[in-house]
Amino acid sequence: MLVRDAMSTVVLTVGPAHTLRQAARLMSARRIGAAVVLDPDTCGIGILTERDILNSVGAGQDPDRETAHAHTTTDVVFAAPEWTLDEAAAAMSRGGFRHLIVLDGHGPVGVVSVRDIIRCWAPARTRAGALSF
């Protein structure tokens, strides 16, 4: 199975000036764990995750004052829609993160998460008798 089969194609994008509270509200409303941060000044693509927001709040920072820019991961590992789910899972494992922005051509076309991969793998492995609870 490929990344394109598992990824979410509805990509939440926020700007670098969004506050963490604004980003958290948007992520919560969409029930997603990551937002793509597009910075028109740098032409860069980054990612802001629920973990980034949690770390900021846990450190006592004000989510109404902290911006996405200050907490965005910019050294992002991108996936291609043609990657296998094994390749995506390996990249996540190596990097210690749970989301990959999927790029195709000119920009982001999706986000794939560990949860997306598990949703795809679990039924196949259950049918094969590999999972037992």
Side-chain angles (χ1 to χ4, degrees):
M1 189 166 276
L2 302 177
V3 165
R4 75 165 42 94
D5 302 318
M7 70 183 190
S8 171
T9 57
V10 178
V11 179
L12 172 62
T13 59
V14 298
H18 275 83
T19 67
L20 292 187
R21 185 175 310 279
Q22 290 170 324
R25 281 187 179 139
L26 292 168
M27 291 164 62
S28 178
R30 288 165 179 79
R31 299 178 50 87
I32 58 174
V36 174
V37 181
L38 297 178
D39 190 341
D41 294 333
T42 65
C43 298
I45 299 173
I47 191 165
L48 178 71
T49 68
E50 57 203 355
R51 183 180 297 166
D52 297 324
I53 295 169
L54 182 65
N55 286 340
S56 173
V57 171
Q61 297 173 333
D62 182 350
D64 292 313
R65 292 181 183 254
E66 292 297 313
T67 62
H69 173 75
H71 298 277
T72 296
T73 300
T74 56
D75 58 338
V76 179
V77 174
F78 298 101
E82 303 82 28
W83 279 17
T84 66
L85 294 185
D86 286 327
E87 289 172 305
M92 290 177 187
S93 179
R94 276 191 309 274
F97 44 79
R98 298 176 293 164
H99 300 86
L100 288 170
I101 299 172
V102 183
L103 294 182
D104 189 16
H106 304 311
V109 294
V111 174
V112 65
S113 70
V114 169
R115 180 177 292 158
D116 297 327
I117 293 171
I118 290 170
R119 280 189 195 129
C120 291
W121 279 350
R125 294 190 178 177
T126 299
R127 284 191 304 273
L131 292 179
S132 61
F133 297 97

